[in-house]
Amino acid sequence: MAGRAETRTPEPPDRDEHEKSPPRVLRPRRTTRPPYNYGQEQEIDIQQINARSQQQQKKKTLGKLVTQRETVTSDSSTESEDPNASELIQELVKLRKEIKLRYELHKEELRKAKEESSAALAEVRHELQILTDRLLVPQPETGIDDILREIQTLNDVISTPALIGSLSYADIARTPPLSHPSNI
């Protein structure tokens, strides 16, 4: 290794050289699982937890249904179930008709709103067209146009350097000053 001895970092002394140093403790190497195994194990655990919770919910709902069936069959006879079922069917038919009517009303309102918005949009487009047509029509010259032309000519004069009368650095250095110093 090239380099001066002063610039090299010193090597640490060996522990065996020192009498007061404690003996080295031999620890087993740490083992780590590859990340894909860990992720797979977590997914399996989550699936098992979800399956358990679903099974518990099914058991609870089945237990409730069984108790409800038992109470319904013990309390009522088969004759009373038929009128209840027919009443429920009639109520469902009424609800279905009401929902259809509401749907048709909402559909009609939506159609009206679309027509109104399209009419308003057409009106706005027409006004916009009128405004753009006004801007495209050439207007007679006013004092503003004269002022703008004057500003443009001034900008042109200012931006173009005077190439004919410009002197180089050497020409300026050779010419004597026009005024004389007053402190001599």
Side-chain angles (χ1 to χ4, degrees):
M1 184 184 317
R4 295 185 297 204
E6 298 89 34
T7 60
R8 285 188 279 159
T9 57
E11 295 181 14
D14 192 17
R15 287 185 170 218
D16 296 335
E17 293 178 3
H18 301 289
E19 295 175 6
K20 296 179 182 176
S21 64
R24 289 189 180 191
V25 178
L26 295 177
R27 297 184 183 143
R29 290 198 137 227
R30 254 176 93 178
T31 58
T32 57
R33 291 187 224 163
Y36 63 90
N37 286 343
Y38 182 69
Q40 288 175 349
E41 289 176 7
Q42 282 185 337
E43 288 177 8
I44 291 170
D45 291 343
I46 290 171
Q47 289 173 354
Q48 289 174 350
I49 290 169
N50 289 341
R52 283 187 215 135
S53 64
Q54 288 177 356
Q55 288 174 355
Q56 290 173 354
Q57 287 176 355
K58 285 180 182 177
K59 287 180 183 177
K60 288 180 184 178
T61 55
L62 285 175
K64 288 180 183 178
L65 288 175
V66 169
T67 55
Q68 286 177 357
R69 286 183 189 163
E70 289 173 357
T71 57
V72 167
T73 55
S74 64
D75 292 344
S76 64
S77 65
T78 55
E79 296 173 358
S80 65
E81 287 180 347
D82 290 336
N84 285 338
S86 63
E87 288 175 8
L88 289 174
I89 290 173
Q90 289 174 355
E91 192 172 336
L92 285 173
V93 169
K94 287 179 186 177
L95 288 173
R96 186 173 179 210
K97 287 179 183 178
E98 186 179 340
I99 289 171
K100 266 188 173 180
L101 287 173
R102 285 186 182 179
Y103 174 73
E104 293 298 325
L105 289 174
H106 286 296
K107 198 174 177 183
E108 183 65 25
E109 287 177 8
L110 182 62
R111 187 186 58 77
K112 287 179 183 178
K114 281 184 181 179
E115 287 175 359
E116 290 173 1
S117 63
S118 63
L121 180 62
E123 186 178 329
V124 168
R125 284 184 178 166
H126 180 68
E127 290 177 8
L128 182 62
Q129 185 65 37
I130 291 171
L131 290 175
T132 54
D133 290 343
R134 282 187 196 165
L135 292 177
L136 294 177
V137 173
Q139 298 177 357
E141 286 192 23
T142 60
I144 296 173
D145 291 335
D146 295 334
I147 294 171
L148 290 174
R149 275 194 222 112
E150 185 67 26
I151 290 172
Q152 184 64 35
T153 55
L154 289 174
N155 281 338
D156 292 341
V157 170
I158 291 171
S159 63
T160 56
L163 298 175
I164 298 171
S166 65
L167 300 174
S168 67
Y169 178 76
D171 291 337
I172 294 172
R174 279 190 230 122
T175 57
L178 300 175
S179 63
H180 298 287
S182 61
N183 61 353
I184 296 179

